[in-house]
Amino acid sequence: STLFPYTTLFRSIRAYLEAENAHADAALASTRALQATLFAEMRGRIKEDDSSVPAPDGRYAYFYRYREGGEHPVVCRMPRDGGSEEIMLDGDALGAGKAYFQLGASAHSRDHRLLAWSSDEAGSELYIARVRDLAAGTDLADTVPDVAGAPVWVADGSAFYYVRLDAQQRPSRVFRHRLGTAAADDTLIYESDDPGFFVGIAELQSRELAEISIHDHETSESWLIDLNDPASKLTLVAAREAETQYNVEHHPSFDGAPVLFIHTNADGAEDFKIAVAPLAQPDRAHW
């Protein structure tokens, strides 16, 4: 219903694009055989069965690979002490028979039982997140619409944080989804009211904290979430200042106390610098 005023505009844009495509097909009709030859030559120079570098975590190493002739990644893991590869998501199988399919980002829970993953089946760049029970090989009932990027799990695997797109498909909000509940009941954790800024979330390397990053091309701001507390409140690192950028990493015990390492261009650092601040006092005055 909210799109009703734009329906005529959308239809006219689609008609224009379809006319452009039809014109291009007609103009290039004599080159179809050459197009097929060039496509086959380019594809022949690509290593189709490529794979990523395995990322070790606990008893598993996680990676993705492509099979020869396939169109989508296959998300896998392998026991680090030896054993067979386990396919967690088969992108080719998931996309089979669909007019459009794009596999999005995924993240496994800390106990290796669950995999949060997303896909776009409409070509709209609006991804739906699901949660796979890796032992059963089936998805839970949870579905979360309009997600952007990879989710971040809380330590006990009972919930995950994610970025949701707004009506303009802008990543502007962070929510917490608790497993077994409806997406409509997800908890809003952070919302940006400035259309010039984008919102992202990522797990820090210590795995104890997640960072919500609010940024444009010149200015940034970070908020922290305690992943060991499923009901964690946000902690601001440093309020945004125009043309000042920073991002953080967490060390749980540096000289006996938890600290943040901060990569920043603050104070005119032309090629950036690294500052250190106590986790309990992360603001600029303590860098």
Side-chain angles (χ1 to χ4, degrees), residues 80-144:
R80 296 176 67 190
D81 59 359
S84 301
E85 170 192 279
E86 177 185 346
I87 294 178
M88 299 184 293
L89 291 174
D90 187 333
D92 290 323
L94 290 167
K98 294 183 172 68
Y100 180 89
F101 180 81
Q102 182 72 38
L103 192 62
S106 61
H108 61 274
S109 60
R110 195 80 57 88
D111 59 10
H112 307 280
R113 294 188 307 105
L114 302 169
L115 183 77
W117 65 283
S118 64
S119 64
D120 172 14
E121 297 184 8
S124 60
E125 298 185 4
L126 295 174
Y127 288 78
I128 296 175
R130 298 174 173 85
V131 179
R132 177 148 299 190
D133 181 327
L134 294 174
T138 57
D139 291 330
L140 306 182
D142 302 68
T143 58
V144 181

Side-chain angles (χ1 to χ4, degrees), residues 31 35 54 60 64 90 101 138 154 159 164 167-168 182 194 198 223 229 233 242 247-248 257:
T31 69
Q35 291 178 47
Y60 291 103
Y64 66 87
D90 187 333
F101 180 81
T138 57
V154 300
R164 182 183 292 177
Q168 288 73 44
D194 188 329
F198 296 87
W223 296 75
D229 178 4
K233 303 297 183 182
N247 55 72
V248 302

